[in-house]
Amino acid sequence: MATTTYTGTPVAGPAAGTAPAPAAPGRRARTGFGLLGPRRGRHELSAAEFDALALPVADDGVVIGTDEHGAPAVLGTGRPVPFDIVLVGGVWTAQVLALRAVGTGARVAVETGRRQMWTALAQAANTGQQAITLHDVGRVPPQGPAVHSPVLVVRDCGVRPPRGRTGPAPWQSVLTLLPYPGPTTPRLTARADVVGIQRVSPDEARQLGRAMNLPPHDVDTLSTLPDGVTLWCTRTSRTYVTMQPTEPETGLLGAARRMD
C-alpha cells in the first residue's frame, strides 16, 4: 500500500495500479490539505457591505452622572480628535470629572491659580504614578498624548483665562472651568464642542442662553438648578445630568456644591 502524506493525519491511498475514484460532482480534489471538512459560508464582506461594519465606541468615556431618564450620561474625553469642553460651574464638579478621568486610564494636567484647592485631590490620585499633575497658569508643558495614554487638561484659571499653551489635540481634551460667565465666555463657548452650565443668575442665564441657542424654558431653569446638576449642551442638543458622588469621592471632596 502506498501512502499519501498530508499535513493532517496520514490517510491510506489507493493500491498500485488502481485508478483513483472520481471526485464528487461540483467538488475538486485537494492535494496536501487533508480531508475536506464541512462547507460553511466564508466570513467575508462585499465592497458594498463594508460600510455597514462598525464598532460600538460612542459610549466610552467618563460617567458624569445620570440623565433625566436615569440612564448613565457619558462624556467621551478620550478621543482621536481634539475635544474642547467649557464648564460654567464649580470646582467640585471639575474635580470629580478629573478623578473619574484618572479612573479610565487618562492622565490629568491641572492648570490653576489656586493650587491649594487641587493639592489633596492630586495626592489622593497619585498612588504609584503621577496621574494628576498641577501647574501654574501658563506653565503646562507638552503632555505627549497618545491612544494608550490619553490626557485631560483642566484649566482652572478664573473668569478671564489666558490663551493656553496646551490646547486640544488628538487624544487630549481640554476642560476650561469658568466660575461664572465673563468677557471671554462668548469666545470660549463659540469654539467649544460641548458646554456644561450649572446654576447661574437670571442675567447670566440669558447671556448663556443666547450663546448656546437655548429655548426660554431652559434659560429660566438655569437659575434654579440644584447643586450637582449640570445642563450639558451644544447648539443643537441638551440634557440635564445629575452627578451623584461615590463614597470615596464624598470622603475626599465632600458633598456636591455649586459655589467654592
Side-chain angles (χ1 to χ4, degrees):
M1 296 286 290
T3 340
T4 304
T5 303
Y6 300 93
T7 57
T9 305
V11 179
T18 304
R27 299 176 68 181
R28 56 191 180 87
R30 297 166 61 190
T31 304
F33 289 96
L35 297 177
L36 291 173
R39 309 298 292 174
R40 297 188 177 92
R42 296 180 180 273
H43 297 284
E44 296 178 351
L45 290 176
S46 66
E49 297 171 319
F50 190 75
D51 288 340
L53 183 64
L55 296 176
V57 297
D59 295 330
D60 60 339
V62 178
V63 177
I64 58 175
T66 55
D67 63 16
E68 300 164 84
H69 306 288
V74 178
L75 185 64
T77 56
R79 297 170 180 249
V81 295
F83 192 56
D84 198 350
I85 310 162
V86 171
L87 173 61
V88 182
V91 70
W92 181 90
T93 300
Q95 289 178 333
V96 174
L97 291 176
L99 195 59
R100 294 184 181 183
V102 170
T104 67
R107 292 179 289 118
V108 176
V110 180
E111 180 183 4
T112 181
R114 43 182 181 176
R115 182 182 288 256
Q116 71 281 359
M117 298 193 69
W118 291 87
T119 300
L121 177 66
Q123 291 174 345
N126 294 340
T127 55
Q129 59 180 353
Q130 291 294 310
I132 296 181
T133 55
L134 306 182
H135 310 273
D136 294 332
V137 176
R139 298 296 183 90
V140 181
Q143 297 297 304
V147 60
H148 59 274
S149 183
V151 174
L152 173 64
V153 178
V154 178
R155 305 199 69 217
D156 177 24
C157 306
V159 72
R160 292 173 177 263
R163 295 185 182 273
R165 294 176 54 190
T166 304
W171 303 111
Q172 178 169 285
S173 298
V174 174
L175 186 153
T176 301
L177 174 64
L178 303 175
Y180 52 87
T184 61
T185 302
R187 172 177 60 83
L188 294 173
T189 56
R191 73 183 188 192
D193 296 291
V194 64
V195 175
I197 307 173
Q198 296 187 305
R199 187 174 63 249
V200 291
S201 70
D203 288 342
E204 293 167 342
R206 286 189 286 271
Q207 175 187 344
L208 291 168
R210 289 191 297 269
M212 299 307 300
N213 194 30
L214 297 177
H217 170 73
D218 290 312
V219 172
D220 294 339
T221 302
L222 287 178
S223 60
T224 63
L225 291 179
D227 290 344
V229 176
T230 306
L231 173 63
W232 291 99
C233 59
T234 65
R235 284 164 184 78
T236 58
S237 61
R238 56 200 173 275
T239 183
Y240 290 92
V241 175
T242 302
M243 179 176 281
Q244 297 288 351
T246 63
E247 288 188 10
E249 290 168 350
T250 301
L252 178 62
L253 303 173
R257 60 190 180 276
R258 166 62 176 95
M259 303 304 295
D260 305 326

